[in-house]
Amino acid sequence: MTLQRRLMLTLTGVTATALIVSFVIVFLLVRRDELQALDHALLVQAHGAMAEMDTRNPAAIVLPDGTTEVPESLSPTTRYMAVYDVDGNPIVSSRSFGNDVPTIGSLGLEPGDLSWDGLSADLEVRDHRLRGVVIPLGEDGESLLYAASRRTITEDTRFLVRLLSILLFAAILGTGLVARWLGKVLARDVQAIAAVARSVAHGDLDARVGTAAKGSIETRVLAGDLDEMIERLGALVQAQRDFVAHAAHELRSPLATLRGELQLALRRPREPEEYRKAVEEVLDDVETLARLADDLLALARIQSKSSTTMHRAPVAEVIAEAVAMARGLADSENVSIEIVDDPATRTSVVVGITSDLARALRNLIDNAIGHSPDGSVVTIACEVDDTRVSVTVTDQGEGVRPEDRAKIFAPFFRGSTTSVDRPGAGLGLAIARGIADSCGGTLTLDASHQHGARFVLSLQRVT
């Protein structure tokens, strides 16, 4: 069943059920109130008639014909009166009854149950529907029936039934039309969203819902969320394509060099020393490929790793391990590593895995060393507050050019520089930021720093 039809039937059914229940309650309440008003009027008039009778000799009573007033009647109506003996049999009656005087028993009453408040009963005389009250007449067990037509109640209830039926039909019809229109609007939004979802499933990442969904706030929000999801999905797919393209490019260069060197070595017979030299050159290319493969695997592992917020890492241990790994490169580049001692750093613990955080910091140190001039210093400092520990790595190089600042954390990006031509695939900063993100931290470039570059690794502190 379609959404439009289901919504229409549901709303119409709920509305019809609520109206029917409400109308039945209204009908019963109105009918009860009118019966109570008629019973009260008949009871008052019955006591008035009894006051005019000689109850000492019921057999001598003559009941006159006449009319009586009943509630909501524009004109007087015929009254019906009868006197009964102790057994409930009629003694005398008004001529309006004729030969159709009912007994007390036929009214569903018992003579012994009578009280001065009277008992109400419905009866029918020659196709006339009557409403009457029976009250005791004196102390000898006789009783008096005083009745009048209930035509006004019948007419009122019939009018009420017709009115409520018309209102019910109009309400159901109106609800059905509104529900049909609303279902059409919602179905149109759902169809627009579904069409975009199908397009995306078939590879069209340019499809957007846009303003096609405008039937309700919820569908507009859903359309906006879907468009945002597609936008992010497109960015992820494009990033994956760029990643594969860059990875293939980075792998192709050393592989081409490796193949050329092997082909050159095999082109003619050589002396053992020449073969040794060729193998050493090939080994350099293999090591380059191995480092690239390690970096690619590390980046993939970090991007797919679940949260590491359950792990704890001492900051002093992270810094010591990172400096130990970077010491060899610093010595070869004639660059000093200086650690600013802070007593708070020695006891600080942050969220994350020690080895991963050490690798992220080592990548920052290696990057700083690679961009530092000969004989300069790379400084590592910490700032500790109530919730964060910020580790800064500062070099004395040329700094990051403004046009490169937005792209330096992208995989395979290598910024332009005028003094240093560094090897590598450009994955170090991307891996460092991925590690920071995985443990709830951040890695940023301090753009306000002058005379070099300063990177800030901010991590959650365990208190």
Side-chain angles (χ1 to χ4, degrees):
M1 185 181 295
T2 63
L3 175 63
Q4 178 180 353
R5 184 180 296 274
R6 183 178 300 174
L7 181 61
M8 182 180 70
L9 293 178
T10 300
L11 289 181
T12 305
V14 170
T15 302
T17 302
L19 288 177
I20 290 173
V21 172
S22 301
F23 288 171
V24 168
I25 293 175
V26 169
F27 174 80
L28 293 177
L29 291 176
V30 171
R31 183 172 178 271
R32 184 200 64 181
D33 290 343
E34 289 200 348
L35 285 176
Q36 289 179 348
L38 179 58
D39 290 343
H40 178 71
L42 294 176
L43 181 62
V44 171
Q45 295 173 21
H47 281 289
M50 183 185 69
E52 297 177 358
M53 297 180 189
D54 184 6
T55 58
R56 292 171 298 178
N57 185 12
I61 294 176
V62 177
L63 297 178
D65 289 322
T67 59
T68 184
E69 300 288 339
V70 296
E72 300 185 14
S73 178
L74 298 179
S75 59
T77 184
T78 303
R79 65 183 178 182
Y80 297 77
M81 300 174 63
V83 176
Y84 297 90
D85 60 18
V86 69
D87 296 324
N89 297 314
I91 300 174
V92 62
S93 64
S94 62
R95 285 182 296 177
S96 55
F97 266 121
N99 297 324
D100 298 321
V101 183
T103 62
I104 293 295
S106 65
L107 299 178
L109 304 177
E110 293 293 335
D113 297 335
L114 299 180
S115 66
W116 292 106
D117 291 334
L119 293 178
S120 301
D122 291 320
L123 60 153
E124 187 171 341
V125 177
R126 298 185 300 277
D127 296 330
H128 295 293
R129 299 185 64 186
L130 308 178
R131 180 75 172 180
V133 293
V134 181
I135 59 175
L137 188 64
E139 298 179 356
D140 297 329
E142 290 82 8
S143 56
L144 170 65
L145 169 63
Y146 192 95
S149 173
R150 53 176 296 168
R151 178 173 53 85
T152 56
I153 295 179
T154 303
E155 292 176 351
D156 288 348
T157 53
R158 287 177 180 174
F159 173 78
L160 186 60
V161 168
R162 288 196 298 269
L163 177 61
L164 295 181
S165 299
I166 294 173
L167 292 177
L168 178 63
F169 176 78
I172 293 177
L173 180 61
T175 302
L177 293 176
V178 172
R180 187 173 183 272
W181 171 80
L182 181 60
K184 183 178 181 180
V185 172
L186 293 179
R188 181 181 59 202
D189 290 351
V190 172
Q191 290 168 1
I193 294 173
V196 172
R198 285 192 295 269
S199 297
V200 172
H202 287 86
D204 182 11
L205 296 179
D206 294 327
R208 297 292 186 274
V209 180
T211 59
K214 51 188 176 182
S216 66
I217 296 177
E218 290 78 7
T219 53
R220 288 198 297 269
V221 171
L222 177 60
D225 292 341
L226 180 62
D227 287 346
E228 183 179 357
M229 183 190 70
I230 297 172
E231 191 75 28
R232 294 186 179 183
L233 181 61
L236 290 174
V237 171
Q238 185 61 41
Q240 183 185 35
R241 291 171 180 170
D242 294 341
F243 182 86
V244 173
H246 285 107
H249 176 74
E250 295 295 334
L251 289 170
R252 183 172 58 184
S253 297
L255 284 174
T257 303
L258 182 61
R259 182 173 59 183
E261 291 174 351
L262 290 175
Q263 289 175 344
L264 182 62
L266 295 174
R267 183 169 298 173
R268 59 180 177 81
R270 297 174 181 268
E271 296 297 326
E273 186 63 28
E274 293 177 331
Y275 278 119
R276 179 181 179 84
K277 183 178 179 181
V279 170
E280 289 177 350
E281 294 176 351
V282 169
L283 182 60
D284 290 339
D285 293 330
V286 171
E287 289 178 350
T288 301
L289 287 172
R291 286 194 298 271
L292 177 59
D294 288 341
D295 288 343
L296 290 174
L297 289 174
L299 185 60
R301 178 178 61 85
I302 292 167
Q303 291 176 343
S304 63
K305 181 183 292 185
S306 59
S307 176
T308 60
T309 55
M310 299 301 295
H311 298 270
R312 305 290 183 266
V315 176
E317 185 176 338
V318 170
I319 295 176
E321 186 175 336
V323 171
M325 290 188 292
R327 186 69 69 181
L329 178 62
D331 293 341
S332 65
E333 297 290 339
N334 192 26
V335 175
S336 301
I337 300 177
E338 178 183 341
I339 302 175
V340 179
D341 187 28
D342 184 354
T345 306
R346 302 172 189 170
T347 58
S348 297
V349 179
V350 295
V351 174
I353 301 175
T354 302
S355 59
D356 286 347
L357 294 177
R359 176 165 189 165
L361 185 58
R362 181 260 183 100
N363 287 355
L364 296 179
I365 298 173
D366 286 350
N367 183 74
I369 293 172
H371 289 86
S372 297
D374 186 63
S376 62
V377 178
V378 172
T379 305
I380 302 173
C382 285
E383 295 180 3
V384 181
D385 59 27
D386 294 337
T387 59
R388 311 288 292 185
V389 174
S390 298
V391 183
T392 61
V393 179
T394 308
D395 62 54
Q396 298 174 341
E398 297 179 355
V400 180
R401 294 185 176 184
E403 61 269 21
D404 293 339
R405 290 174 183 172
K407 300 177 286 186
I408 57 174
F409 294 106
F412 303 105
F413 177 78
R414 286 177 286 187
S416 56
T417 178
T418 58
S419 61
V420 181
D421 185 15
R422 298 179 58 236
L427 295 174
L429 293 180
I431 292 174
R433 170 167 276 190
I435 293 174
D437 292 341
S438 68
C439 59
T442 60
L443 175 59
T444 57
L445 171 68
D446 185 359
S448 63
H449 180 71
Q450 303 293 327
H451 309 297
R454 174 181 291 169
F455 288 88
V456 181
L457 178 62
S458 179
L459 302 171
Q460 297 183 34
R461 184 185 180 190
V462 179
T463 57

